[in-house]
Amino acid sequence: MTTPLPSSVLDLAPVLPVVVVEDAADAVPLARALVAGGLPAIEVTLRTPAALGAIRAIADGVPGAVVGAGTVISSANVADSLTAGARFLVSPGWTDGLLEAMKASGVPFLPGVSTTSEVVALLERGVNEMKFFPAEAAGGTAYLKSLAGPLPQARFCPTGGVGLGNAASYLALQNVACVGGSWIVPRDAVAAGDWDRVEALAREAAALR
């Protein structure tokens, strides 16, 4: 049974795993481990040749997963991701053209922002859910806390420099719905096929809120 999307992909879990897949054969066991640990939303970044195949494998083989595409930077990326079965889209930044392509996709999307002006520009275009990236380098929790007063309608998924040590600080902010991170899927665990470790890390992350 396919997991239904809530009103927002931000509400599926406190942590959105950011996954880089080098071998599409790893996609299904990796996704199953994340889902078993309580993290159904999975962002597969379009950084490797295996990414689209991984999205397709998860969409077809892991009914409990809600798989999305990350590092979406063009309308072609949007089209390819949808064809592969992505159910949401995440970009590190945005342009008007990319935003229109994501809006036209019919699936939830999180355009990336790192400045107040970018947030205001998205709000002006009717978008109030965003990725804050690169979170730590762009000002971290202090920056997001400062945005909450004048721009309370904006909701964020901070990604970039977020890990187990600081995730709770982000999640405590009223304008942060979830955080994105790759610490749940260590490269050495994936390379070794240590899915029990991935599941344990996912369970720990799912308990953050």
Side-chain angles (χ1 to χ4, degrees):
M1 180 174 148
T2 301
T3 299
L5 277 172
S7 58
S8 167
V9 70
L10 294 179
D11 297 325
L12 277 166
V15 178
L16 175 62
V18 178
V19 179
V20 178
V21 179
E22 301 288 349
D23 184 346
D26 292 329
V28 167
L30 174 59
R32 285 176 176 159
L34 292 170
V35 172
L39 300 180
I42 302 167
E43 175 190 337
V44 177
T45 63
L46 302 183
R47 300 181 194 175
T48 69
L52 291 172
I55 291 171
R56 186 174 294 107
I58 295 170
D60 292 343
V62 190
V66 178
V67 63
T71 321
V72 173
I73 58 172
S74 68
S75 56
N77 286 162
V78 172
D80 290 343
S81 299
L82 294 177
T83 299
R87 298 176 64 195
F88 64 92
L89 305 169
V90 184
S91 69
W94 65 277
T95 63
D96 283 327
L98 178 58
L99 188 65
E100 288 309 308
M102 290 195 292
K103 279 186 172 182
S105 71
V107 301
F109 58 92
L110 297 173
V113 297
S114 60
T115 69
T116 306
S117 294
E118 290 172 316
V119 176
V120 172
L122 284 178
L123 292 173
E124 187 177 69
R125 289 160 174 77
V127 178
N128 67 350
E129 296 187 342
M130 312 164 197
K131 169 179 177 172
F132 181 58
F133 176 83
E136 283 290 282
T141 55
Y143 195 99
L144 286 172
K145 187 175 182 179
S146 297
L147 291 181
L151 303 171
Q153 63 272 55
R155 301 177 75 215
F156 299 97
C157 174
T159 307
V162 180
L164 184 61
N166 60 2
S169 298
Y170 280 98
L171 291 167
L173 301 177
Q174 63 186 31
N175 56 352
V176 170
C178 67
V179 299
S182 58
W183 82 89
I184 318 101
V185 283
R187 287 181 180 270
D188 59 339
V190 175
D194 190 351
W195 311 125
D196 288 341
R197 181 181 170 200
V198 172
E199 181 179 340
L201 289 168
R203 199 173 303 282
E204 183 179 40
L208 284 170
R209 182 159 66 192

